[in-house]
Amino acid sequence: MKFPGILLLSVVLCGATFGADAAKAAPAKADSVPQVSVKKDSLPQVSAKSDSTKIDSLAKYKESLKGKAANDKHVYKDDADQDGVVDSLDKCPETPSRTIVDTLGCPMDFDGDGVRDDVDRCPNTPKDFKVDSLGCPFDDDKDGVPNEVDKCPDTPSEIHQVDVNGCPRDADKDSVFDEFDKCPNTPQGTPVDERGCPRDSDGDGVFDVNDKCPDTPKGVMVNREGCPFDRDKDGVIDEMDECPNTPEGYAVDSLGCTVDDDRDGVVNVKDKCPNTIFGVEVDTVGCPLNKKQDLDLLRKGINFKTGSAELTENSTPTLDDIVALLKDFPEVSLEIQGHTDNKGKADKNKILSEDRAKSVLDYITSHGVDVSRLRSAGYGQERPVADNKTAKGRAMNRRVELIPFYKDAEGK
C-alpha cells in the first residue's frame, strides 16, 4: 500500500526539477499561461507553471459552479415562496418565508384549528374548539377552562381555583368557595355562615346543627348541647337562679325559687290549701288551723237550686263566715268564680256560672263588704277539675271557687 505514495512523490519531484530546468532554458511570456480566478479554499493551490492537465481541471470546475448557480436560479424561479414545493404543485403559493409546509406547500396545522403550527401557541387544541389568532381556545371568564367545556362560564375574576368543569372549587359542598372558606372541611349538610363555618347563631360555641338551645343569651355558659347549665333542673338557668338547689319537680318562680302563691310559708308543691288568705295561721301542709278561715272548705258550703242561680238556705252560714273572714282581713280582696259541668249547652252554662258568681258577690256586699274588694267571673264548663263522664266528676265540676288577691305589694 506504500508503493503508490512513493511513486506519486517521485513524479512530483521530477516535475518540479523539469520545470526549473525549463525556466532556465527559456523564460515564458506572461500571457502564455491562462489566468484562473477561484476561491482560495475551494481548490488545491497550484503554481503558475502547472501542467496543462491541471489547467483543464480548473476550467471544468469553474464551469460546474456556473451550472449550479444557473440550476439554483431555475429552482427559485419555479418556487416563488421558496417553501420547497414548486409552484405547479403548490396549493399555497404565497406561504410566508420559513414556514413549515406540507407536501402541497400549505402551512402545517396539526390540530386543524386554522392557525398554522409556527404561530399556534396551543398546538393540541381539540377539534371544533373556537380559537383566537394564536390558536388558543376562547376562555371568556379567564379561568383556564375553554368555553366549550366550561359549565360555569361566568366565574368571577376574583376566583382563581376552578375544577375541570370551570366551576369554583367547593370541596365541602357548603356553597362557600374554597378560596374564601375558613372552614373547608365542614360536614356536608351543615348550615354555614358567610365564611363557610358552621352557624352558631347565639355565639355559645355550639354549632346550630347540634345546639338544642339556639337562643341562649350572650355570655351564658352552656353544656355540650348548647343549653345553659341548670343544676337543679327547675327551668331557671344557673346564672339567674337565686335558689339553685331547689328540689327536682318543685314549681319555681322566675328567680328559680319555689312558688308559694298564698305566701303562707308552704310551697305550692306541698300546700294542700293553696288559696289561704295572707296572714292566716296554717299547719304543715298549708291549711288554716281555724277551719272558718279555710276558703277551700268554705266554698264547699255554697249551693244553688238546680239549674238556677238562687242560693239555697243552707248556704247562709257559710256565706256569713266568708263575710266575717273578709272583715277580719281588710287587706284581702276576693274573686268569686262560677263553674258548671258539661250537661246542657255551653253558652247557657256560661251564663249560669256568671249568674251564680254574681249571686254570691251580691250577698257578701249586702252584708257590709265594699264591692271594690270583690269581683265575679263565670267560666261555665271551660275549666273542669274532674271527669264529666261520671256523676261524681260532674258534681265536683259544679262549684264556686274563692280566689284571694291583693292590692298591696306585700300580700300580692
Side-chain angles (χ1 to χ4, degrees):
M1 296 301 290
K2 295 181 179 180
F3 179 76
I6 296 172
L7 179 60
L8 177 60
L9 179 59
S10 299
V11 173
V12 172
L13 291 175
C14 290
T17 304
F18 174 78
D21 292 339
K24 291 180 182 179
K29 294 182 179 179
D31 56 356
S32 63
V33 180
Q35 299 297 312
V36 180
S37 176
V38 294
K39 292 181 180 179
K40 185 176 182 180
D41 57 354
S42 63
L43 290 175
Q45 298 297 316
V46 297
S47 66
K49 295 181 179 181
S50 298
D51 56 17
S52 58
T53 300
K54 295 185 182 297
I55 292 172
D56 290 340
S57 298
L58 182 58
K60 290 179 180 180
Y61 180 72
K62 289 181 65 178
E63 287 299 324
S64 69
L65 292 178
K66 290 179 181 180
K68 184 177 183 305
N71 183 59
D72 289 345
K73 183 176 181 181
H74 174 73
V75 171
Y76 290 134
K77 181 178 180 182
D78 293 337
D79 181 12
D81 54 9
Q82 299 183 21
D83 61 359
V85 179
V86 295
D87 292 346
S88 61
L89 301 177
D90 200 333
K91 300 298 183 182
C92 301
E94 297 180 355
T95 301
S97 178
R98 297 185 179 181
T99 299
I100 301 173
V101 298
D102 56 21
T103 57
L104 299 178
C106 292
M108 293 288 284
D109 180 12
F110 177 77
D111 53 11
D113 60 1
V115 178
R116 66 180 193 265
D117 289 352
D118 60 322
V119 176
D120 199 336
R121 293 188 181 178
C122 301
N124 298 310
T125 301
K127 189 178 181 180
D128 298 329
F129 275 39
K130 294 180 180 180
V131 299
D132 56 22
S133 60
L134 297 177
C136 292
F138 285 107
D139 176 17
D140 292 337
D141 55 7
K142 310 297 182 186
D143 62 358
V145 179
N147 290 353
E148 281 79 1
V149 295
D150 198 335
K151 292 184 178 180
C152 299
D154 299 316
T155 300
S157 58
E158 62 268 20
I159 302 296
H160 303 99
Q161 297 180 21
V162 298
D163 57 24
V164 293
N165 295 316
C167 295
R169 295 184 185 276
D170 179 15
D172 54 9
K173 309 296 183 187
D174 61 359
S175 298
V176 178
F177 303 144
D178 289 356
E179 287 180 78
F180 311 116
D181 200 333
K182 300 300 183 183
C183 302
N185 298 312
T186 302
Q188 193 165 353
T190 301
V192 298
D193 57 23
E194 65 280 358
R195 302 175 304 148
C197 294
R199 286 200 190 103
D200 177 16
S201 301
D202 53 11
D204 60 1
V206 179
F207 301 142
D208 287 358
V209 69
N210 299 319
D211 199 335
K212 293 186 177 179
C213 301
D215 300 316
T216 302
K218 189 175 182 180
V220 173
M221 295 179 63
V222 298
N223 57 24
R224 288 181 297 179
E225 295 179 335
C227 294
F229 287 103
D230 177 17
R231 285 173 293 180
D232 56 8
K233 302 186 186 306
D234 60 0
V236 179
I237 61 176
D238 289 354
E239 279 86 353
M240 300 176 64
D241 200 335
E242 293 188 4
C243 301
N245 298 311
T246 301
E248 190 170 352
Y250 278 42
V252 297
D253 57 21
S254 60
L255 299 177
C257 296
T258 50
V259 177
D260 177 16
D261 288 329
D262 58 7
R263 304 290 298 276
D264 62 358
V266 179
V267 296
N268 287 1
V269 71
K270 291 184 176 181
D271 201 334
K272 301 297 184 181
C273 302
N275 293 317
T276 302
I277 289 176
F278 180 67
V280 170
E281 291 187 46
V282 299
D283 57 21
T284 56
V285 293
C287 291
L289 297 175
N290 182 350
K291 300 307 176 184
K292 289 189 175 182
Q293 295 178 335
D294 189 341
L295 291 176
D296 286 335
L297 283 179
L298 292 173
R299 70 178 182 80
K300 294 177 181 179
I302 302 173
N303 297 293
F304 302 89
K305 293 182 179 180
T306 303
S308 169
E310 184 179 348
L311 290 162
T312 61
E313 291 185 7
N314 62 5
S315 298
T316 300
T318 298
L319 292 171
D320 290 342
D321 287 340
I322 294 173
V323 170
L325 181 61
L326 290 173
K327 289 181 178 180
D328 288 341
F329 294 90
E331 72 281 359
V332 69
S333 297
L334 200 64
E335 178 175 282
I336 304 163
Q337 298 179 352
H339 301 272
T340 70
D341 59 24
N342 67 347
K343 292 295 184 179
K345 294 182 179 180
D347 56 344
K348 289 186 177 181
N349 284 336
K350 187 171 179 63
I351 293 173
L352 178 60
S353 67
E354 290 173 349
D355 290 344
R356 286 179 171 178
K358 183 68 165 53
S359 293
V360 175
L361 183 147
D362 289 343
Y363 184 95
I364 295 174
T365 56
S366 67
H367 287 73
V369 177
D370 195 286
V371 69
S372 65
R373 296 174 60 193
L374 301 171
R375 64 191 184 197
S376 65
Y379 295 97
Q381 62 191 48
E382 297 172 4
R383 301 181 180 182
V385 293
D387 189 353
N388 274 309
K389 293 180 180 179
T390 66
K392 183 178 179 180
R394 288 192 296 272
M396 293 176 66
N397 289 332
R398 296 189 299 271
R399 69 196 189 279
V400 169
E401 290 189 2
L402 305 174
I403 310 298
F405 65 94
Y406 305 86
K407 295 181 180 180
D408 61 278
E410 182 181 1
K412 194 169 180 67

